[in-house]
Amino acid sequence: NKAQKGGVCLKHGAQKKLCSFDDCTNISIKGGVCWRHGAKKELKRCSNKECTNIAVKQGVCVKHGAKHKKCSSEGCINQAYKGGVCRRHGAKTKRCS
């Protein structure tokens, strides 16, 4: 289980906010409501003309020049996450404490 606010997961006591819409038991995402009741995630689009892809880095998509960092472990081509390595080579996600 991934740690939420306060360093613990939902199973070990992290509080989750519910949607403020009547009789809805979904977790609120943005503005106190769930996706079903209007929470929208605004994604930045590529700044290149006529491109509708999502911008990854410096306002452009991968197709137009954004580069993903590769794992620094020899021979590995996976995307690096933390400390310059991929999950297979030691990048850790925060776990429940």
Side-chain angles (χ1 to χ4, degrees):
N1 292 326
K2 279 192 172 183
Q4 303 292 322
K5 193 173 187 179
V8 293
C9 65
L10 294 173
K11 185 177 179 182
H12 291 107
Q15 298 295 315
K16 58 182 178 179
K17 293 182 181 179
L18 297 178
C19 178
S20 60
F21 203 82
D22 292 338
D23 298 327
C24 183
T25 57
N26 294 329
I27 297 172
S28 69
I29 305 297
K30 190 174 182 182
V33 292
C34 66
W35 294 114
R36 183 176 287 166
H37 295 112
K40 301 282 186 222
K41 184 175 181 181
E42 294 180 25
L43 302 172
K44 293 183 181 178
R45 298 290 174 181
C46 180
S47 61
N48 201 310
K49 260 188 179 177
E50 298 179 16
C51 181
T52 58
N53 294 331
I54 297 167
V56 176
K57 196 172 188 181
Q58 297 176 339
V60 292
C61 64
V62 175
K63 184 178 178 182
H64 292 111
K67 302 279 186 213
H68 287 292
K69 289 186 178 181
K70 300 290 182 196
C71 179
S72 60
S73 185
E74 193 174 325
C76 184
I77 59 167
N78 293 331
Q79 182 179 349
Y81 288 98
K82 266 193 168 177
V85 292
C86 66
R87 289 188 181 108
R88 181 180 287 170
H89 292 109
K92 304 259 189 248
T93 55
K94 188 174 179 184
R95 305 295 288 179
C96 179
S97 55

